[in-house]
Amino acid sequence: MPTESKVDVLVLGAGPAGLMCAQGLKRAGVNVRIIDKRPKKVAAGQADGVQPRTIEVLQSYGLAERLLREGNQMHMVAFYNPSPNGGIERTGRTADITAPSARYPFEVTLHQGAIEAIFLDSMRELGLEVDRPIIPTALELSHDENELRDPQSYPVKVTLKHLDFGSEGQDDTEIVYAKFVVGADGAHSWVRKTLGIIMDGEQTDYIWGVVDLIPSTNFPDIRNRCAIHSSNGSCMIIPREGDKVRLYIQLSDKDVVVDKATGRVDKEKTKVGPEELLEVARKSFSPFTIEKAGEIDWWTIYLIGQRVAQKFSVHERVFIAGDACHTHSPKAGQGMNASMNDTHNLIWKMTYVLRGWADISLLRTYEFERRKYAQDLIAFDKNHEAFLEAFQTFGAFSCGIGIHYSPSSIPSMPNITELKHQSLTSHQTVGMRILPHVFVRAADARPFEIQDLLPANTKWKLVVFVGDIGPGKIKQIERVAKLADDLGKSTGLLKRYEDGVFEILTICATVKECLNYTDLPEVLRPHWSRVLLDDVDMFGRTGGKGYDIYGVDPSQGAIIVVRPDGYVGTVTPLEGVKDLETYFDTFLIRTL
């Protein structure tokens, strides 16, 4: 008889989207299991670029330090075009990332296997391993409405097949009953096909070869991101960890054979291999030379598809994420980044529902927010149809910093983006990630990046800009005292929901010489480390002008509400506790 088990969340697929999901849920104390059909993790190749916003997200889980240590940083991009003398010449150099609010103003490149290893090692420390090699063979979802509405029920039945069970008498079949399933099983997703979810979009005519190698070359920009447009075709350079580089080489349809049934390149019939790709690149590089120094690390050929799934979940019980629900050209370098940010969006929502802290309707916001972003990415692709043009357009949107979640007006879905008081933070847009900035801790004058004080720990952060409450600021001190009373009363916001929902961080527009952290009411200083000053550090090297960065008037103040995934949900005035209660009542379950 097959073995049977129960789990809160079953994640199918251990690529970047699945690993992000599993590690985040495990950190949150969720009973999660993750399986993959591959007997071991990716060794080389695949996706390799991590955008500035994704680095911020990894940092919120404590995972960015290793990425920055092991990866290569791309700070500059160079452009080459046909020279009037034949061959190519450099026509410009510029910053790789142009978004002014980027905390990490560069991209990190590292092969996917090493990125996966960062997740795998952190999961191992938490006591979670990927079960492999295992494939799902059947998925059944209950049609009982009461069962589907009850977040503690197990309405999903998944049959698994263990590929390494070969000995006589061993049953290689297992049945898992899950509360939720996340299909992060790639562009040819079994979960998506089993659920009958259709992908909208098209295959483009662009065919690209990819080669990872250590080059021997006299090309002066080999360690910069490069866009090469030559009379012999187009080529891109992505410098990688160590001495490696990745070459993207544009091919013509006469070079490859496409399987009409699958829409994929038929590598058996296609005569182009890594040596032929390198030969095409050599022609684009002229008058410079490029050869391989040693073996080619990895290569592939693929057609670019631009598709988005018609829906990202079924009954908010089975979800798809990453390439399973959207595929893009690599022009904006967003495939893996969008995938990891999908499940980053889902982790906290699923955790709240499983804990009984939020209504199950909160999960509808996953598709609402992430499907729109996937559609925006494809629109970006189409608006920059020329590969090299998009490659050059690395502004806020394409580096992930410009992700903007909109308010919802759908009656069956809570609105977790509320714009009523947006004017109080003229430079911090509601629906976008909290801007990075360095503040000084009041207790000891130590400078801190605010994002590091807002980790992805499933808590909502109330970032309270109390204004200047220094000597003589009687009116502002009275307003702050009233806010503390409103927050702290027995029926107030902080007691209204489950303990552990909120964290408070208070930021004063008062210089360090004029304020003690103990001057604040206790509610606004739950710990000595939670009071910051908008002032420079002791040497004047960093910090200051934070109220200007967020567009907050120091005479007015504001409360910025930061979601567990680092995005701003709403803003209120210091007198706006009632607005906060109304906002949270739409999706959190009250205990009072």
Side-chain angles (χ1 to χ4, degrees):
M1 290 289 291
T3 57
E4 296 190 356
S5 61
K6 286 185 173 180
V7 71
D8 285 352
V9 182
L10 177 64
V11 180
L12 303 176
L19 292 171
M20 170 67 85
C21 188
Q23 67 84 30
L25 290 171
K26 185 67 176 176
R27 276 177 208 279
V30 171
N31 177 14
V32 59
R33 183 176 176 194
I34 178 168
I35 69 161
D36 195 84
K37 65 183 178 183
R38 299 172 295 176
K40 55 187 178 182
K41 71 176 177 68
V42 167
Q46 308 291 339
D48 64 355
V50 183
Q51 302 285 9
R53 174 57 191 156
T54 309
I55 305 171
E56 291 179 358
V57 169
L58 291 170
Q59 174 67 3
S60 73
Y61 291 104
L63 301 176
E65 185 181 334
R66 179 170 161 189
L67 175 78
L68 294 172
R69 186 172 69 246
E70 294 183 8
N72 173 68
Q73 295 182 14
M74 292 195 299
H75 289 261
M76 189 161 68
V77 58
F79 307 112
Y80 282 78
N81 285 289
S83 165
N85 305 319
I88 56 171
E89 63 179 6
R90 188 171 65 217
T91 53
R93 278 175 171 167
T94 189
D96 181 57
I97 299 297
T98 57
S101 75
R103 176 180 178 185
Y104 303 97
F106 50 82
E107 294 173 82
V108 171
T109 53
L110 184 65
H111 78 84
Q112 185 174 318
I115 294 167
E116 289 180 7
I118 295 172
F119 285 117
L120 292 167
D121 291 347
S122 73
M123 285 163 46
R124 194 167 293 120
E125 290 175 8
L126 298 166
L128 180 64
E129 299 271 0
V130 178
D131 290 340
R132 49 170 116 228
I134 300 173
I135 57 169
T137 58
L139 187 154
E140 299 171 43
L141 180 60
S142 170
H143 296 292
D144 184 318
E145 294 228 357
N146 290 328
E147 193 176 9
L148 291 171
R149 275 199 299 265
D150 176 8
Q152 301 310 319
S153 69
Y154 295 84
V156 195
K157 177 184 175 183
V158 183
T159 306
L160 304 177
K161 180 180 176 65
H162 290 252
L163 301 179
D164 59 352
F165 281 15
S167 59
E168 201 172 315
Q170 271 190 307
D171 193 324
D172 62 1
T173 304
E174 178 187 0
I175 292 171
V176 179
Y177 295 93
K179 294 176 182 175
F180 300 97
V181 168
V182 179
D185 52 343
H188 302 278
S189 169
W190 176 89
V191 174
R192 185 187 71 234
K193 291 171 184 171
T194 301
L195 294 172
I197 297 174
I198 294 167
M199 294 284 273
D200 290 333
E202 60 201 23
Q203 198 89 307
T204 70
D205 296 329
Y206 294 109
I207 304 165
W208 286 82
V210 187
V211 181
D212 291 349
L213 75 161
I214 294 175
S216 172
T217 181
N218 62 352
F219 185 71
D221 283 295
I222 197 68
R223 295 308 303 174
N224 292 315
R225 187 163 71 93
C226 288
I228 298 172
H229 181 62
S230 81
S231 304
N232 297 308
S234 296
C235 177
M236 300 189 309
I237 302 171
I238 306 287
R240 286 269 301 278
E241 68 276 11
D243 295 331
K244 259 182 221 155
V245 300
R246 168 167 290 189
L247 302 179
Y248 281 95
I249 301 139
Q250 191 165 13
L251 302 173
S252 68
D253 51 11
K254 69 177 187 294
D255 296 321
V256 299
V257 177
V258 177
D259 184 325
K260 287 187 169 56
T262 65
R264 302 172 85 175
V265 172
D266 188 330
K267 285 192 177 180
E268 295 293 320
K269 295 178 182 174
T270 295
K271 302 302 181 199
V272 176
E275 296 296 340
E276 288 78 14
L277 290 173
L278 198 51
E279 182 55 37
V280 175
R282 284 191 194 101
K283 291 175 183 172
S284 296
F285 269 72
S286 176
F288 304 101
T289 61
I290 184 166
E291 302 293 338
K292 59 177 183 175
E295 295 301 309
I296 283 174
D297 192 50
W298 184 81
W299 71 280
T300 192
I301 300 172
Y302 62 92
L303 272 164
I304 291 172
Q306 297 170 323
R307 297 189 178 90
V308 178
Q310 288 184 352
K311 55 185 179 179
F312 283 19
S313 82
V314 175
H315 296 303
E316 285 70 55
R317 288 298 192 157
V318 183
F319 298 84
I320 51 176
D323 288 354
C325 52
H326 48 76
T327 58
H328 312 276
S329 87
K331 282 187 290 195
Q334 276 295 341
M336 177 173 65
N337 292 273
S339 297
M340 289 191 281
N341 280 285
D342 281 348
T343 47
H344 175 58
N345 180 284
L346 185 59
I347 288 162
W348 71 270
K349 297 172 182 178
M350 205 170 260
T351 299
Y352 269 55
V353 171
L354 285 164
R355 287 178 181 169
W357 289 9
D359 187 80
I360 199 166
S361 62
L362 176 64
L363 293 171
R364 292 179 187 149
T365 64
Y366 165 68
E367 177 183 309
F368 175 76
E369 292 183 335
R370 295 306 299 174
R371 188 168 185 270
K372 179 181 182 298
Y373 177 65
Q375 290 171 318
D376 289 347
L377 263 184
I378 285 180
F380 176 86
D381 271 359
K382 288 184 175 175
N383 288 340
H384 303 83
E385 207 56 69
F387 201 112
L388 297 178
E389 182 191 342
F391 191 68
Q392 295 165 22
T393 315
F394 260 64
F397 178 77
S398 54
C399 69
I401 281 165
I403 294 173
H404 188 180
Y405 296 139
S406 303
S408 161
S409 56
I410 301 168
S412 62
M413 182 171 64
N415 182 24
I416 57 174
T417 304
E418 171 56 66
L419 304 179
K420 182 177 177 182
H421 299 292
Q422 171 67 82
S423 61
L424 293 173
T425 58
S426 57
H427 299 154
Q428 172 64 70
T429 304
V430 174
M432 297 181 75
R433 99 317 185 191
I434 185 80
L435 292 167
H437 190 68
V438 173
F439 292 94
V440 170
R441 194 160 62 186
D444 58 2
R446 179 177 169 181
F448 274 91
E449 165 55 59
I450 190 173
Q451 288 187 348
D452 291 342
L453 301 176
L454 308 173
N457 59 1
T458 72
K459 294 177 186 286
W460 286 79
K461 284 76 173 184
L462 305 181
V463 183
V464 186
F465 286 78
V466 294
D468 187 354
I469 55 169
K473 305 292 183 180
I474 305 301
K475 184 180 177 187
Q476 196 67 8
I477 291 169
E478 288 174 350
R479 291 180 69 216
V480 171
K482 175 70 164 60
L483 167 64
D485 288 344
D486 290 345
L487 285 172
K489 62 187 178 185
S490 59
T491 56
L493 181 76
L494 301 182
K495 304 280 183 13
R496 200 178 182 95
Y497 313 103
E498 286 288 349
D499 188 35
V501 169
F502 299 113
E503 282 185 349
I504 289 179
L505 188 66
T506 301
I507 302 177
C508 309
T510 311
V511 294
K512 51 188 170 294
E513 292 82 6
C514 299
L515 187 85
N516 298 314
Y517 80 91
T518 50
D519 294 345
L520 283 148
E522 284 190 24
V523 167
L524 297 177
R525 53 175 174 94
H527 188 263
W528 63 265
S529 64
R530 305 299 290 174
V531 180
L532 304 178
L533 303 177
D534 184 17
D535 196 5
V536 294
D537 71 350
M538 298 303 292
F539 297 95
R541 293 172 181 166
T542 188
K545 299 186 177 177
Y547 273 65
D548 291 342
I549 291 291
Y550 297 91
V552 177
D553 181 344
S555 70
Q556 294 300 312
I559 302 171
I560 297 180
V561 177
V562 182
R563 300 171 9 167
D565 58 1
Y567 288 83
V568 174
T570 190
V571 170
T572 71
L574 299 186
E575 292 77 16
V577 173
K578 284 285 182 207
D579 287 332
L580 290 178
E581 291 170 354
T582 301
Y583 171 75
F584 284 109
D585 278 350
T586 62
F587 55 91
L588 292 184
I589 294 171
R590 292 179 58 173
T591 56
L592 284 179

